[in-house]
Amino acid sequence: MDPLTKLYVEATTTCNLDCPMCVRQAWRERLGLMPLSLFAELVEQLKALPAMPIVHFSGYGEPTHHPDFLEMVRVAKAAGAVVEATTNGTLLDRPMAQALVDLQLDRLVVSVDGVSPAVYGDLRPPADLDQVVENLRWLQRYRVRRSGRHGKPRLALAFVAMRRNLADLARLPTLASQVGAWEVLVSNVVPHTPEMEAEVLYEGALRACAFRASRWVPDMSLPKMDLAGPVMDALEQVFASRVSISLLDASLSARNDYCRFAQQGYAAVRWDGEVSPCLSLLHDHPEYVRGRRKQVTHLSMGNIQREPLPAIWASEAFSAFRARLRQFPFSPCTTCGGCERFPRNFEDCSGNTFPACGGCLWAQGFVQCA
């Protein structure tokens, strides 16, 4: 059986912010909280696996908005799990930060999406960037006092790149140094509305030869170079040409048709106990690709309230779907996006039926998960 190495747990779909790029701007699903008793039952189920997976609090809500979030962390840590969380950082006040350090949370990913107050305020209303930075600096100081410079949690910053915040990208390394972050994760925006599609930075990259190795075009392998002045001008022309590109023999197409959840043994549990193969299939939601709307219908492999997670993970249906994802036989819908089957993920032009994953922005390397 494939090992389950990481489980994304959606503790809640509620949030204290109103971000314009959030899926909640476009869906009609009811909001909910995972009961603490259900989470405790989930952790008990995980103990039956050959090895405890990483438990990562994430999904389409703010984990720290859940009233029992700290107790959930405690329960997972007591079971021997490596525990991570993705947060907007606004509720990370001193008591919360101290508790997470004392509980030895292993990794904390903080979404910032803006480094200047004006950009951050536009994308994260009604949050205050200065307060979030102060929260992180206090966490850093307390962590160092308690456990030393390399103590827990290990801090990461997550940044969703789009046109309106692109100028802040170069300021991320400085911010990371200021707050003690060891990782900076940059992703593209998933446009859930036509307005957010106008913010994408990968319109040309969807079909560029540079990111698609093919027997029809040559491969160009590039060395390390100074990315400035005439070098950048020349590289811009290379990326616009008809070659696929490798950097020191590492192909930029390596993550095409690559489902990280299937390849690396990940799954996701929704707040109501539904188990999904990935975050993208956790809820019904719209996405916009190349000017066209796609309605993504969620996929549930079972519910932990009716069947234990190890049994769901080992089921014939889930195992077969993971094997299918590793083969990735789907049509290249992100490149094409033109046929009558595109508006839903029910079927593609290669004969694949629900869920047809060829339009997945994650599987084509445009979107990264924490």
Side-chain angles (χ1 to χ4, degrees):
M1 183 183 73
D2 303 332
L4 175 62
T5 63
K6 188 169 185 175
L7 184 66
Y8 287 82
V9 177
E10 183 181 71
T12 178
T13 51
T14 66
C15 188
N16 60 318
L17 301 186
D18 188 32
C19 306
M21 63 282 195
C22 181
V23 68
R24 281 186 301 278
Q25 301 291 348
W27 73 6
R28 296 182 178 180
E29 297 200 13
R30 67 189 181 97
L31 303 180
L33 296 167
M34 179 179 285
L36 177 59
S37 59
L38 181 58
F39 178 76
E41 172 58 27
L42 170 62
V43 172
E44 285 300 312
Q45 294 176 13
L46 294 179
K47 292 178 181 179
L49 291 167
M52 180 69 67
I54 296 169
V55 173
H56 188 115
F57 290 97
S58 184
Y60 294 99
E62 170 52 44
T64 63
H65 201 238
H66 194 296
D68 295 316
F69 170 66
L70 290 176
E71 181 61 17
M72 289 177 164
V73 173
R74 188 197 68 76
V75 169
K77 288 293 295 186
V82 171
V83 183
E84 306 174 345
T86 297
T87 176
N88 59 40
T90 59
L91 302 178
L92 198 65
D93 56 16
R94 293 190 179 191
M96 171 77 74
Q98 180 173 335
L100 291 178
V101 173
D102 290 345
L103 287 168
Q104 292 289 278
L105 180 77
D106 293 276
R107 181 168 172 258
L108 185 65
V109 182
V110 181
S111 299
V112 288
D113 300 337
V115 181
S116 59
V119 172
Y120 182 91
D122 179 47
L123 291 172
R124 294 260 162 194
D128 177 7
L129 176 62
D130 291 338
Q131 183 59 60
V132 171
V133 171
E134 178 54 33
N135 290 347
L136 298 180
R137 296 181 78 168
W138 193 89
L139 182 146
Q140 178 192 23
R141 292 193 295 270
Y142 182 74
R143 181 188 65 200
V144 170
R145 287 201 305 270
R146 189 185 188 282
S147 306
R149 185 168 180 264
H150 297 288
K152 298 177 180 178
R154 187 178 179 90
L155 185 63
L157 299 182
F159 185 90
V160 176
M162 57 194 88
R163 293 186 184 277
R164 72 174 75 177
N165 68 355
L166 183 59
D168 278 8
L169 189 64
R171 302 174 64 181
L172 278 172
T174 299
L175 177 62
S177 297
Q178 289 174 346
V179 300
W182 291 93
E183 299 175 73
V184 179
L185 308 170
V186 180
S187 182
N188 279 302
V189 66
V190 179
H192 299 293
T193 63
E195 292 76 17
M196 291 315 298
E197 189 182 14
E199 295 283 346
V200 303
L201 299 170
Y202 50 88
E203 183 178 358
L206 286 169
R207 53 191 181 276
C209 292
F211 301 105
R212 292 197 166 272
S214 167
R215 63 190 180 93
W216 302 107
V217 298
D219 179 81
M220 177 181 285
S221 182
L222 298 173
K224 297 176 182 179
M225 305 172 77
D226 291 334
L227 300 181
V231 174
M232 287 300 294
D233 294 339
L235 287 179
E236 183 177 1
Q237 295 179 56
V238 169
F239 271 75
S241 68
R242 289 183 57 81
V243 295
S244 62
I245 293 177
S246 297
L247 295 177
L248 296 174
D249 298 324
S251 174
L252 298 187
S253 68
R255 286 300 178 91
N256 292 347
D257 298 343
Y258 181 93
C259 175
R260 187 177 183 186
F261 275 73
Q263 296 285 356
Q264 299 185 22
Y266 298 173
V269 178
R270 207 164 69 179
W271 66 270
D272 57 359
E274 296 292 331
V275 179
S276 176
C278 65
L279 290 173
S280 181
L281 293 174
L282 205 57
H283 295 276
D284 295 345
H285 65 276
E287 296 176 6
Y288 287 79
V289 180
R290 298 190 62 188
R292 299 193 67 191
R293 186 182 192 273
K294 174 182 280 292
Q295 179 64 31
V296 177
T297 298
H298 82 281
L299 174 64
S300 174
M301 306 305 301
N303 191 299
I304 62 171
Q305 300 187 73
R306 297 188 294 270
E307 186 177 14
L309 181 65
I312 296 173
W313 175 260
S315 68
E316 183 178 350
F318 204 168
S319 298
F321 185 60
R322 290 195 301 273
R324 182 179 166 210
L325 286 171
R326 287 193 290 268
Q327 295 172 357
F328 215 87
F330 307 102
S331 300
C333 299
T334 53
T335 301
C336 173
C339 81
E340 70 279 4
R341 298 173 180 85
F342 180 81
R344 303 186 73 88
N345 63 331
F346 286 176
E347 181 184 10
D348 66 23
C349 61
S350 298
N352 295 288
T353 55
F354 177 78
C357 297
C360 178
L361 294 169
W362 285 263
Q364 303 307 328
F366 294 102
V367 181
Q368 298 195 82
C369 296

